[in-house]
Amino acid sequence: MRSYLSILIFSILVTGCTTSPTGRSQLMLMPAGEIDQMGVQAFTNLKKETPVDKQAVTNHYVQCIANAITREVGGTWEVVVFRDDAVNAFALSGGKIGVYTGLLKVAKNQDQLATVIGHEVAHVQAHHANERVSQSFAVEQGLNLISAAASPQSGAGQSLMGMLGVGAQYGILMPFSRIQESEADMLGLDLMARAGFDPRESIQLWKNMAHSGGGQPPEFLSTHPSNSTRINDLIARLPHALQLRQLAQQRGRHPNCK
Ligand SMILES: [Zn+2]
């Protein structure tokens, strides 16, 4: 405990406050390596608990889109399709992406699925999990978060899964904050456009999302809450995103995922 706290204090001194990709100041208490480790651990658990879809056609389609997006951020990413009707997807630090087959009915083409994957990868790129863990650390002081990640069924493990953005699987709904959501929307839109996808499809994706679920909001919206300004904000950002896409196309980025 003592050494853990001194590591924590050290990390506060070294990385206590950083700036997000949109220029917002962020509280960042966890060493990046630990957040990555938690993401990897959470992903391992999810793969054990949720059936993985092995269909070649589906995997090829999702991989193709995810690869085009992650090529723009670099690093190595593992992409897994989960056979589950939940309308959901997530990305975890440590280079992990999960897409549920239920989402494929709502994201109706490559550009719409790229909207969701771009949004998820943007959450990782902007270190939102670290920020959430850091903000709640005052409450959870002294908790060994790495071991909590290994036991997602425990109380501490469940709240950690919520902070990492995969709590829905365990019945924990911990929505991203409004600030984090709109940051992920903007960064995600730029990201998918830079990969050559059509950013205009993001508008339709969010409309589909709002109308899916037959009265019940899809799981994705419970952790990625929408609000009335989301679509207007995206429309305002479109000219910039379309410019990015044009540049991407000039660089030969023409994704054609089927
Ligand atoms: Zn989100």
Side-chain angles (χ1 to χ4, degrees), residues 116 119-120 123 128 176-177 180-182 184-185 206 220 223-225 230:
V116 178
H119 177 100
E120 286 305 307
H123 275 305
H128 288 167
F176 283 98
S177 74
Q180 291 185 330
E181 267 310 283
S182 62
D185 274 351
W206 290 111
F220 189 82
T223 43
H224 302 266
R230 165 171 269 154

Side-chain angles (χ1 to χ4, degrees), residues 90-101:
F90 61 86
L92 288 162
S93 46
K96 307 294 175 187
I97 292 173
V99 172
Y100 291 70
T101 44

